[in-house]
Amino acid sequence: MPDLIYSILKKNFGYDEFRTGQKEIIESVLAGNDNFVLMPTGSGKSLCYQLPALMLSGLTLVISPLIALMKDQVDSLKANGVKAAFINSSLPHNEILPVQEEALSGKLKILYVAPERMALDNFKDFLQNLKISLIAVDEAHCISEWGHDFRPDYRNLKMLKNIFRKAPIIALTATATEKVRLDILKELSISQAKIFISGFNRPNLNLRIIKKKNAFDKLLSLLKNYENKAVIIYCFSRKETEALAMDLKNTGFKAQAYHAGMVANERKKTQELFIRDEFNIIVATIAFGMGIDKPDVRLVVHYTFPKSIEGYYQEIGRAGRDGLKSDCVMFYTYADARKHEYFLNDIADETIRKQTENKLIEVMKFAELKSCRRKHILNYFGENYKEANCHGCDNCNTEKVTLDATIVAQKILSAILRTGNRFGANHIINILKGKKNEKIINYGHDKLSVYDIVKDYSVDELKEIINLIINAGLIIKTNDQYSVLKVTQAGLKFISQKEKLELSLPSKEDIDEEQESINELTYDKTLFEKLRYLRKQIADKLNVPPFVIFSDASLQEMAFYFPIDKENFSMITGVGARKLESFGNDFLKIIIAYVKKNNLSSKKIYKSRSGKIRLPREERSVNGDTFSITNELINRQLSIDDMAKARGLAISTIISHIEQLINSGEKIDIEYLKPSPEVYEKIKNAFKQYGEEKLRPVFEYLREQYSYEIIRLVRAIMNAEL
Ligand code: ADP
Ligand code: ZN
């Protein structure tokens, strides 16, 4: 039987492996249990009922509230050769009967229906004439009044268990508190259900906060990396969406606004065009996103910070449903709090206002966080995240540089003391930088010995350093509206005892710099574009969204392995039997021509038990062990560069994996990564001289000739040799 599961997985879905949880759930469904599944968006819940549907003798009934999605789901199943159909209010009357007949004839395997159908007596009669083997209730939280998305139509589902006593039920949702969970079990009468809950973590989402200063320029340079990739930009107001969409259009981007103030038709059309890749940037209020299920959104931007962590997580959740690396960028400035306050003041009920305000403060805390953002959010939702470094947020990915801050801290503290612990950071910085403004002149602060004595740090850097000194406890910032800086007892001691101070700063290039967006296999971008174009043409001809034909992940693999015959093509993820037959030749033609023209050769796709392994991607490491994948790549002697590219991780992340593997006592052979003996010895000697603790002294001693990465790598090799 396991073999049968795997062969259906490949034949009808094109996949070789299950994602975490899927196999256990499918086995439980096949064993006849009722099941409750709580897994995050994009984790692959649909497969948990779609695959069993193909193994069970009767029909699988799927209840879903998202009418817009049903057609896409059914189209995707059909493209994979699965007999599926839907019935909802969008279907003309004369098309409903044929679907019902098909179902009655026993040919149909999966039938999607909207919950309100269940209220109609003749529909119930129709269902009772069917042989129903399984019932899937999607978005199951909608049945609970405690949930945030209660739908009265879902009340109709209470009777399911009564009518179809024999059919197991599988309830699925991505959001449910414990209260809602219990409610679902009760309402559906499935108290004995097997419970499957996986955490909230979305490991393929990279979280980043950018200071909102010169925001539009920063946005432009960010968007340059997302040409032809789907992007959602969330704005604060309808007006803002329109203005920003216009500005983006004027700069040559393919952007459209979307908000609840648009007429329904126009909204629907905009959404449809976005799903069909007719334009790639949607500039929206948070009205956008409900009921759309585009799997390949690569970037979600919050141009103004959101109202709550809950909202933030739901909105960024629309990125990367296909499991590929995707970015989430929030523009943050304290000043935007004013926009929110404006609405806060409109809330009459004091308790609600206070609650709303607290949620807002949580978002600001999150934005100003210096530690792992993923950990913070998961904690917020009550989940314990144990990794020290998530490798997927700006704070974890930024290389920290240790700075000897003794002198500059002395200067800052002196300036605060000399002016009597009475001024805020801006004024102190103005003194240190030798600014001549009215306030300085009036107070005579230009006469102070600390006036104009900081040359080697910019204003922004000083701000950063002051924050770090506050964190270090040498000064405090008062909580009143003046935010005055005061030197603490520890600060006084620091000065009088001439103590040393070291601070961890984000390395200079990283302050406010865009981190390169990390992504994907090192696939051939030109070929990818050609394949994308073909996909779009086929999709338009068949009148379906492009992702129904092949996902981005499939196209990337094609553009990486260059399969040139059917056998190899069939080994690409997402290529099942039906798709091979329907689309194989068209795609192969393009690949073959490209390979010939550019003198390329196909790469071998490695085989494993279930068919193959490819270069493991982050998606597979998700809940597994990210280090062991790096380890495997080391065994295959990939260069650091190639490992980083293959995994869509930063080079520094790969090196930190190596360090951690060594620390954990893992025997790894990294000799092959050694730079030339001459370079190696030079760096090694520098470490001998300055100790291995810090990189900076070595970096400077070697006159900045070698990158931090090489230096770190050499240190790792030295340790591995021990
Ligand atoms: P959810 O309903 O949990 O939000 P979906 O069922 O829509 O997630 O699946 C998300 C994406 O993951 C889809 O593009 C789907 O094709 C893909 N997927 C699901 N299972 C697998 C698998 N075993 N291997 C590869 N991709 C998968
Ligand atoms: Zn992190």
Side-chain angles (χ1 to χ4, degrees):
M1 157 131 125
D3 283 345
L4 184 57
I5 295 192
Y6 277 103
S7 76
I8 292 180
L9 181 66
K10 180 61 191 169
K11 176 166 167 269
N12 291 106
F13 299 92
Y15 306 137
D16 306 280
E17 293 148 50
F18 286 105
R19 295 229 183 111
T20 313
Q22 286 178 330
K23 187 153 174 272
E24 294 72 21
I25 297 168
I26 288 168
E27 283 169 349
S28 173
V29 170
L30 291 174
N33 301 318
D34 291 325
N35 297 282
F36 172 85
V37 175
L38 173 60
M39 299 203 310
T41 309
S43 54
K45 289 189 287 298
S46 323
L47 192 81
C48 300
Y49 56 82
Q50 288 174 347
L51 195 150
L54 304 186
M55 299 183 70
L56 297 166
S57 61
L59 177 98
T60 291
L61 185 66
V62 185
I63 296 157
S64 164
L66 308 173
I67 290 183
L69 299 191
M70 278 190 205
K71 188 171 181 312
D72 291 348
Q73 290 251 16
V74 167
D75 283 340
S76 294
L77 286 165
K78 281 185 179 162
N80 270 318
V82 176
K83 294 241 176 302
F86 66 90
I87 297 180
N88 64 34
S89 55
S90 77
L91 203 61
H93 251 299
N94 59 347
E95 287 181 31
I96 292 183
L97 205 59
V99 171
Q100 293 193 337
E101 275 165 8
E102 209 187 353
L104 289 165
S105 77
K107 282 193 202 129
L108 212 54
K109 291 312 292 181
I110 304 182
L111 177 64
Y112 283 80
V113 302
E116 67 268 14
R117 292 278 133 183
M118 296 294 168
L120 309 174
D121 280 335
N122 58 0
F123 194 77
K124 269 190 275 186
D125 291 343
F126 153 69
L127 287 181
Q128 275 174 307
N129 286 324
L130 297 175
K131 181 174 176 222
I132 292 185
S133 297
L134 174 65
I135 301 173
V137 179
D138 207 0
E139 312 291 341
H141 59 276
C142 295
I143 203 169
S144 170
E145 286 182 41
W146 303 112
H148 57 90
D149 196 15
F150 170 61
R151 297 182 187 221
D153 283 332
Y154 260 62
R155 291 277 132 154
N156 298 323
L157 307 186
K158 282 182 169 199
M159 47 71 171
L160 281 174
K161 202 69 195 175
N162 273 334
I163 308 187
F164 306 101
R165 287 179 188 282
K166 291 214 191 90
I169 292 183
I170 175 170
L172 310 105
T173 173
T175 61
T177 58
E178 187 167 358
K179 203 166 172 183
V180 172
R181 211 154 76 211
L182 293 172
D183 214 21
I184 294 172
L185 298 183
K186 186 173 126 243
E187 296 293 327
L188 291 175
S189 314
I190 52 170
S191 54
Q192 302 297 315
K194 299 272 179 240
I195 311 273
F196 296 91
I197 298 180
S198 70
F200 275 104
N201 192 17
R202 298 279 316 275
N204 63 318
L205 302 188
N206 187 43
L207 315 181
R208 226 181 339 148
I209 310 284
I210 296 183
K211 283 198 196 118
K212 190 169 178 179
K213 201 169 124 188
N214 305 326
F216 188 65
D217 288 341
K218 284 182 184 167
L219 183 65
L220 292 184
S221 65
L222 179 65
L223 289 176
K224 285 202 189 97
N225 300 324
Y226 295 87
E227 201 188 337
N228 291 328
K229 292 179 185 167
V231 173
I232 305 176
I233 303 176
Y234 283 113
C235 291
F236 188 74
S237 63
R238 296 173 183 184
K239 240 168 76 190
E240 218 177 76
T241 63
E242 283 172 0
L244 186 60
M246 185 61 79
D247 288 345
L248 288 173
K249 261 193 238 172
N250 290 339
T251 9
F253 286 96
K254 287 180 280 176
Q256 298 272 340
Y258 180 103
H259 56 74
M262 287 158 53
V263 288
N265 254 344
E266 207 182 322
R267 241 171 37 208
K268 194 165 160 223
K269 197 170 141 221
T270 306
Q271 185 168 311
E272 182 78 14
L273 292 176
F274 180 62
I275 290 177
R276 299 198 168 208
D277 293 346
E278 294 289 339
F279 69 95
N280 72 314
I281 304 174
I282 195 150
V283 187
T285 55
I286 53 175
F288 180 78
M290 285 306 291
I292 87 132
D293 194 8
K294 193 168 168 49
D296 49 4
V297 173
R298 290 278 83 87
L299 170 70
V300 170
V301 174
H302 282 89
Y303 205 53
T304 297
F305 69 82
K307 284 201 276 287
S308 66
I309 299 275
E310 287 87 344
Y312 171 71
Y313 208 57
Q314 187 164 27
E315 281 133 34
I316 64 170
R318 291 167 190 147
R321 297 189 64 140
D322 53 10
L324 293 183
K325 290 247 158 231
S326 307
D327 291 307
C328 311
V329 174
M330 184 203 293
F331 282 78
Y332 176 76
T333 167
Y334 178 77
D336 275 347
R338 237 172 280 141
K339 294 189 189 170
H340 288 287
E341 264 158 26
Y342 183 77
F343 283 89
L344 270 183
N345 294 336
D346 269 358
I347 302 175
D349 183 313
E350 172 123 15
T351 336
I352 297 182
R353 190 174 59 237
K354 195 76 212 152
Q355 268 172 10
T356 315
E357 192 179 354
N358 285 341
K359 296 232 181 247
L360 203 59
I361 291 171
E362 285 296 335
V363 178
M364 292 161 69
K365 255 202 233 160
F366 168 74
E368 289 171 12
L369 202 68
K370 298 276 178 246
S371 56
C372 179
R373 299 196 193 276
R374 176 166 270 103
K375 189 178 172 76
H376 184 91
I377 290 197
L378 292 174
N379 278 348
Y380 182 87
F381 291 122
E383 198 177 314
N384 188 6
Y385 182 77
K386 294 201 189 73
E387 305 285 327
N389 184 321
C390 79
H391 303 291
C393 78
D394 45 3
N395 288 336
C396 287
N397 286 340
T398 312
E399 176 107 28
K400 296 281 198 306
V401 173
T402 320
L403 163 81
D404 182 346
T406 309
I407 307 234
V408 65
Q410 282 169 353
K411 290 176 180 171
I412 292 168
L413 267 63
S414 308
I416 297 172
L417 289 171
R418 299 269 158 91
T419 53
N421 287 313
R422 289 193 302 134
F423 296 91
N426 287 336
H427 187 67
I428 298 294
I429 291 173
N430 285 340
I431 295 173
L432 293 168
K433 294 298 286 178
K435 296 267 153 64
K436 265 205 185 341
N437 60 28
E438 218 181 300
K439 194 168 170 188
I440 291 196
I441 310 279
N442 285 349
Y443 280 107
H445 287 166
D446 52 343
K447 307 277 172 345
L448 295 173
S449 59
V450 288
Y451 184 74
D452 197 17
I453 54 165
V454 173
K455 302 280 178 225
D456 37 358
Y457 296 99
S458 68
V459 170
D460 282 342
E461 285 167 337
L462 279 175
K463 278 189 191 156
E464 193 82 22
I465 292 173
I466 288 179
N467 279 334
L468 292 169
I469 299 180
I470 293 174
N471 288 344
L474 303 187
I475 48 183
I476 52 163
K477 185 154 96 180
T478 59
N479 260 336
D480 55 24
Q481 63 188 40
Y482 304 108
S483 298
V484 167
L485 297 179
K486 296 184 179 199
V487 176
T488 62
Q489 285 299 329
L492 292 173
K493 181 162 160 269
F494 164 77
I495 294 205
S496 63
Q497 317 234 331
K498 300 209 163 64
E499 289 173 359
K500 282 204 152 314
L501 179 68
E502 280 191 345
L503 298 174
S504 280
L505 271 184
S507 68
K508 259 192 189 154
E509 321 69 282
D510 284 338
I511 293 183
D512 249 18
E513 271 282 295
E514 309 306 343
Q515 290 168 21
E516 191 190 345
S517 104
I518 45 176
N519 243 325
E520 305 143 9
L521 294 164
T522 44
Y523 60 90
D524 187 308
K525 304 286 185 316
T526 317
L527 177 57
F528 180 81
E529 283 309 316
K530 286 179 191 287
L531 297 173
R532 227 176 64 89
Y533 183 73
L534 172 64
R535 175 176 72 177
K536 174 77 178 133
Q537 281 184 318
I538 297 177
D540 285 350
K541 205 162 68 196
L542 300 179
N543 199 21
V544 295
F547 57 78
V548 164
I549 309 299
F550 282 124
S551 68
D552 279 4
S554 303
L555 299 194
Q556 284 177 15
E557 285 196 7
M558 294 175 205
F560 181 78
Y561 290 108
F562 310 129
I564 50 169
D565 53 38
K566 280 202 164 180
E567 195 196 332
N568 279 294
F569 189 80
S570 75
M571 284 160 65
I572 297 292
T573 292
V575 180
R578 174 59 68 93
K579 288 191 177 177
L580 176 67
E581 189 188 308
S582 319
F583 314 125
N585 282 334
D586 288 343
F587 281 84
L588 276 169
K589 242 188 245 161
I590 302 265
I591 301 172
I592 293 170
Y594 186 79
V595 163
K596 267 208 183 120
K597 180 157 169 259
N598 295 287
N599 226 347
L600 301 164
S601 50
S602 306
K603 294 194 190 81
K604 188 168 166 51
I605 305 180
Y606 291 91
K607 293 258 179 193
S608 79
R609 85 172 269 295
S610 58
K612 64 181 169 187
I613 46 164
R614 261 159 267 102
L615 275 181
R617 257 183 287 123
E618 195 55 8
E619 135 191 0
R620 298 197 182 99
S621 74
V622 168
N623 297 298
D625 181 359
T626 182
F627 301 115
S628 61
I629 291 181
T630 299
N631 199 356
E632 191 184 324
L633 297 184
I634 292 172
N635 285 336
R636 289 199 215 151
Q637 307 222 327
L638 261 69
S639 72
I640 301 264
D641 244 11
D642 284 348
M643 286 192 253
K645 281 180 189 152
R647 304 209 45 203
L649 296 173
I651 289 181
S652 59
T653 307
I654 296 291
I655 298 182
S656 89
H657 286 182
I658 295 179
E659 289 171 342
Q660 299 195 39
L661 283 165
I662 295 171
N663 284 343
S664 68
E666 190 77 34
K667 284 263 163 289
I668 56 171
D669 184 7
I670 49 174
E671 270 293 305
Y672 79 99
L673 291 173
K674 237 186 200 176
S676 73
E678 179 204 5
V679 174
Y680 181 74
E681 286 306 319
K682 239 192 201 163
I683 299 176
K684 187 171 163 183
N685 286 333
F687 272 120
K688 289 250 159 79
Q689 202 165 330
Y690 287 91
E692 284 177 30
E693 207 66 345
K694 294 203 191 86
L695 300 174
R696 198 184 187 99
V698 172
F699 179 69
E700 283 173 358
Y701 170 75
L702 296 169
R703 303 220 187 92
E704 311 192 355
Q705 242 181 43
Y706 304 105
S707 67
Y708 274 108
E709 274 120 19
I710 297 267
I711 296 177
R712 233 173 118 187
L713 182 62
V714 166
R715 182 173 65 181
I717 297 174
M718 286 163 57
N719 285 325
E721 282 175 347
L722 293 179

